[in-house]
Amino acid sequence: MPEYGYGLTSMLEKFYGGRSDESFSDIFAKGSEELKILLNDALKDIEDKDAITEEMRAAIESLPDLLNEQYQQMSRKLDGQEQSPVKAFEAATGLGALVLKNIEPPNVVEKIFEKVQKSMEGPELDIDIFFGVKPHPYERNND
């Protein structure tokens, strides 16, 4: 695995407060570069030139740049935060690792959701939407 894990591993490390000397923007850019190298190497290994069209090759080669554009939109928001997203969640909800790891079975997910619901004001939360089982009503293709 490359150092930045194609941006994903390093992003998670930063999410939890690590990699404090790097911005999300830096991490995503370096991860995109790692992905570009991986894809280019994979394309070189395709010996049968008829197995992949020029359009497919162009789409694959453009993927890292497309992802980097998306990453940069996210990183502008993430880099503007004063603390890591995980620390911000813990501060807002009071639900850190110490609390969560001491929730006993049965029904651990439901117990976690109850704690989240109690800690957040505003509209009523849906457990399936909160945990990503069901899409938000405003998401595309939410059927």
Side-chain angles (χ1 to χ4, degrees):
M1 176 74 71
E3 179 185 354
Y4 287 86
Y6 310 111
L8 301 175
T9 302
S10 297
M11 183 257 321
L12 286 174
E13 291 170 354
K14 178 98 174 140
F15 233 69
Y16 281 88
R19 292 194 178 260
S20 57
D21 57 330
E22 296 174 283
S23 67
F24 279 102
S25 181
D26 293 338
I27 289 168
F28 289 140
K30 291 172 183 171
S32 293
E33 194 56 39
E34 289 175 344
L35 181 61
K36 184 181 279 188
I37 291 167
L38 173 77
L39 291 174
N40 285 336
D41 288 348
L43 287 172
K44 287 178 196 171
D45 289 343
I46 297 175
E47 294 177 16
D48 182 3
K49 299 299 179 193
D50 293 332
I52 185 169
T53 66
E54 284 305 313
E55 292 84 9
M56 292 169 69
R57 183 177 296 278
I60 292 168
E61 288 173 348
S62 69
L63 184 60
D65 293 330
L66 177 65
L67 284 173
N68 196 39
E69 288 176 30
Q70 298 297 312
Y71 286 156
Q72 293 310 312
Q73 290 178 18
M74 280 192 315
S75 67
R76 281 192 286 278
K77 292 179 183 177
L78 292 169
D79 285 333
Q81 296 179 354
E82 290 183 26
Q83 57 187 175
S84 76
V86 171
K87 295 288 184 202
F89 177 81
E90 289 174 0
T93 63
L95 299 174
L98 185 61
V99 172
L100 295 174
K101 75 178 184 181
N102 286 305
I103 296 175
E104 297 289 330
N107 305 319
V108 172
V109 171
E110 287 85 356
K111 289 176 182 177
I112 291 171
F113 184 70
E114 285 175 22
K115 291 184 178 296
V116 169
Q117 255 185 325
K118 288 177 186 173
S119 70
M120 300 179 83
E121 295 180 16
E124 189 169 320
L125 299 173
D126 178 288
I127 190 170
D128 292 329
I129 292 174
F130 183 81
F131 285 109
V133 175
K134 185 169 74 174
H136 289 272
Y138 57 81
E139 290 180 299
R140 189 192 298 176
N141 299 325
N142 65 356
D143 50 359

